[in-house]
Amino acid sequence: SVNGEWRSSKVSTGTTIIAVTYDGGVVIGSDSRASMGGEYVSSRVINKVVQVHDKIFCCMAGSLADAQAVTNAVIHQLSFHSMQMGEPPLVQSAASIMRSFCYNHRDELSAGFIVAGWDSKRGPQVFQVSLGGMVLEQEFTIAGSGSTYIYGYVDAKFKPGMTREECLTFTTNALSLAMDRDNVSGGVVHLAIVTEKEAEKQLIPGNKLPVIQSLE
Amino acid sequence: MATVSVCQYQPRGFSFENCKRNALLEADSTKFGFNAPAARKTGTTICGIVFKDGVVLGADTRATEGMVVADKNCSKIHYISPNIYCCGAGTAADTEMTTQIISSNLELHSLTTSRLPRVATANRMLKQMLFRYQGYIGAALVLGGVDCTGPHLYSIYPHGSTDKLPYVTMGSGSLAAMAVFEDRFKPDMEEEEAKSLVRDAIAAGIFNDLGSGSNIDLCVITKGKVDYLRPHDVANNKGVRTGSYRYKRGTTGVLTKTVTPLNLEVVEESIQTMDTS
């Protein structure tokens, strides 16, 4: 590290990403740090929650170049699919398109994703599309290097059928805890809340995040 | 009649086998004391900033080949289109050729669409090309310009990831330049303030990073106008010698002076014609 080897390493998203379903919608959140070689923060404000369609979002983890390339390809293919079907796409379709990219190029890519959103057929859904192309549907999921620090917290605190406010508190607390402990997660919290009516984006700056001592 | 076909995995995309072979060869040859010639890198401090009316791009002008300065005044701000310019850090040949290829493709695109190209288009083209080569093209770029949607600034990494930000720095001097930006950047600055800030950021890189040096080049892009200021600031002037070691006539006293002519006889004279056809 004295020779600055971080310069020749890929930009990694580091990351803590989370998606949680609640009664009537889904909350998706991420931190905002991109790092190189575990040493240099190349960007402290990147948004890892990307809108792939009106009511479907996807969170990126892993190599930023791979994640951006796959996400752009998914946006392209999903909009095509949606135009062909003549209706808004299912969250499962988005996850499936994501999975086909991740699986077919599993030897060359190193990126994992969370696909979450709302559709008229099955309501709010969360899918985790991991590194090799495995797809798992879950009520809530966490991913990224910072997620290891909050498994205990989310397993203890999650309840199915929360209200919107409870879900936002849960998500923000989980992200704050992970960002405090993981060196490659940090910055601000990007949130997206998707319901039947609309998809709303929020940003919580670093100094407005909940402080650990006051978490119940 | 049913034919049995075995589905063979067809490897697609660029094959990087030779890159691995080259790395092994270089490692082996160092054992025998043979060092492969170092690629000329730009070392570099490059940066960009979005201000009220447009974008200011800045760069130093030193190109290094290992530990030697190969070019004291190289140009690192490359033309992409009349309204878009790109600074390049990393391997000099890679940044030069990559920006030329995208500039050429963007001109064709612009002629097809009959529109002034957008910065987002240049960004997409650059990132897709760099991603295709998986980081083996060592080009780290700061892309900026003004199009119909306003001023935009992108940083593009060699592996193909990009960031869209109001201020970016790249290259070996990026940490020094980013420190200056993080301290003094404000949104919607005036042009003179923005130019001064970029100049100071590049100067921080020049004076604190060994890979950056010489002069500061600026490129100010606004709607309909580009100011390519090369050099904007000659930060490192070559010193002027204040004294001379020449001895004045009369320093050494002359005691005697004798002139002896040498009488030489011409023994042989031959002429050889030169073939000037």
Side-chain angles (χ1 to χ4, degrees), chain A residues 116-127:
Chain A
W118 187 96
D119 64 48
S120 52
K121 188 169 158 197
R122 294 178 54 213
Q125 296 146 75
V126 167
F127 292 88

Side-chain angles (χ1 to χ4, degrees), chain B residues 1-52:
Chain B
M1 193 160 147
T3 50
V4 176
S5 64
V6 179
C7 266
Q8 280 225 313
Y9 175 61
Q10 297 292 339
R12 294 170 303 175
F14 196 83
S15 165
F16 292 103
E17 292 306 309
N18 283 343
C19 295
K20 294 184 209 157
R21 176 205 71 178
N22 293 346
L24 278 170
L25 282 175
E26 262 177 70
D28 278 342
S29 70
T30 324
K31 272 192 262 175
F32 299 111
F34 166 71
N35 292 320
R40 181 184 294 199
K41 300 185 92 78
T42 57
T44 293
T45 310
I46 51 174
C47 65
I49 214 171
V50 175
F51 70 102
K52 197 170 74 162

Side-chain angles (χ1 to χ4, degrees), chain B residues 37-111:
Chain B
R40 181 184 294 199
K41 300 185 92 78
T42 57
T44 293
T45 310
I46 51 174
C47 65
I49 214 171
V50 175
F51 70 102
K52 197 170 74 162
D53 308 315
V55 164
V56 179
L57 301 174
D60 73 304
T61 59
R62 173 181 288 183
T64 52
E65 225 164 81
M67 281 285 117
V68 176
V69 174
D71 190 345
K72 287 186 277 193
N73 197 6
C74 78
S75 164
K76 301 185 193 181
I77 306 185
H78 308 283
Y79 168 89
I80 301 274
S81 77
N83 58 326
I84 304 172
Y85 279 74
C86 183
C87 311
T91 309
D94 288 345
T95 59
E96 189 76 41
M97 298 319 304
T98 305
T99 47
Q100 280 178 2
I101 289 171
I102 265 66
S103 169
S104 161
N105 288 344
L106 205 59
E107 183 168 352
L108 289 170
H109 186 264
S110 167
L111 286 165

Side-chain angles (χ1 to χ4, degrees), chain A residues 1-9 36-37 39-40, chain B residues 171-172 175:
Chain A
S1 61
V2 172
N3 293 324
E5 282 115 21
W6 62 264
R7 274 181 220 292
S8 48
S9 61
M36 291 170 82
E39 284 177 19
Y40 177 65
Chain B
S172 54
L175 267 61

Side-chain angles (χ1 to χ4, degrees), chain B residues 21-256:
Chain B
R21 176 205 71 178
N22 293 346
L24 278 170
L25 282 175
E26 262 177 70
D28 278 342
S29 70
T30 324
K31 272 192 262 175
F32 299 111
F34 166 71
N35 292 320
R40 181 184 294 199
K41 300 185 92 78
T42 57
T44 293
T45 310
I46 51 174
C47 65
I49 214 171
V50 175
F51 70 102
K52 197 170 74 162
D53 308 315
V55 164
V56 179
L57 301 174
D60 73 304
T61 59
R62 173 181 288 183
T64 52
E65 225 164 81
M67 281 285 117
V68 176
V69 174
D71 190 345
K72 287 186 277 193
N73 197 6
C74 78
S75 164
K76 301 185 193 181
I77 306 185
H78 308 283
Y79 168 89
I80 301 274
S81 77
N83 58 326
I84 304 172
Y85 279 74
C86 183
C87 311
T91 309
D94 288 345
T95 59
E96 189 76 41
M97 298 319 304
T98 305
T99 47
Q100 280 178 2
I101 289 171
I102 265 66
S103 169
S104 161
N105 288 344
L106 205 59
E107 183 168 352
L108 289 170
H109 186 264
S110 167
L111 286 165
T112 314
T113 58
S114 310
R115 286 176 171 84
L116 201 62
R118 300 191 189 191
V119 191
T121 315
N123 177 56
R124 237 352 134 87
M125 289 175 160
L126 283 162
K127 74 151 35 175
Q128 283 177 348
M129 179 181 163
L130 290 173
F131 182 74
R132 202 162 62 232
Y133 288 96
Q134 288 290 292
Y136 285 100
I137 294 187
L141 310 167
V142 168
L143 175 77
V146 179
D147 57 34
C148 57
T149 53
H152 300 286
L153 184 67
Y154 292 87
S155 67
I156 306 168
Y157 289 84
H159 285 268
S161 61
T162 62
D163 284 318
K164 185 175 191 309
L165 293 165
Y167 55 97
V168 292
T169 64
M170 295 284 251
S172 54
S174 63
L175 267 61
M178 186 50 96
V180 175
F181 275 164
E182 288 284 24
D183 185 32
R184 285 161 47 188
F185 175 82
K186 295 188 303 284
D188 293 326
M189 282 188 289
E190 295 297 329
E191 180 172 329
E192 284 314 308
E193 207 186 336
K195 278 161 71 173
S196 161
L197 179 59
V198 172
R199 184 247 158 241
D200 288 343
I202 301 292
I206 285 174
F207 292 117
N208 294 290
D209 174 44
L210 294 175
S212 312
S214 298
N215 316 323
I216 298 167
D217 288 350
L218 283 192
C219 185
V220 184
I221 310 171
T222 48
K223 199 166 180 63
K225 188 163 80 90
V226 172
D227 276 331
Y228 194 91
L229 305 160
R230 177 173 153 79
H232 170 67
D233 194 333
V234 182
N236 292 289
N237 280 313
K238 188 166 180 163
V240 178
R241 283 180 213 271
T242 50
S244 169
Y245 284 109
R246 251 171 183 263
Y247 288 103
K248 286 203 292 287
R249 263 183 193 280
T251 310
T252 310
V254 179
L255 296 176
T256 48

Side-chain angles (χ1 to χ4, degrees), chain A residues 10-67:
Chain A
K10 288 186 175 196
V11 180
S12 145
T13 57
T15 285
T16 313
I17 48 179
I18 179 173
V20 190
T21 54
Y22 68 92
D23 184 22
V26 57
V27 173
I28 304 132
S30 81
D31 72 304
S32 69
R33 181 173 289 184
S35 53
M36 291 170 82
E39 284 177 19
Y40 177 65
V41 176
S42 58
S43 176
R44 55 185 171 81
V45 288
I46 74 162
N47 192 348
K48 302 175 202 180
V49 179
V50 181
Q51 187 160 21
V52 298
H53 207 268
D54 295 343
K55 297 267 185 58
I56 307 177
F57 286 77
C58 117
C59 307
M60 311 188 274
S63 153
L64 188 59
D66 294 352

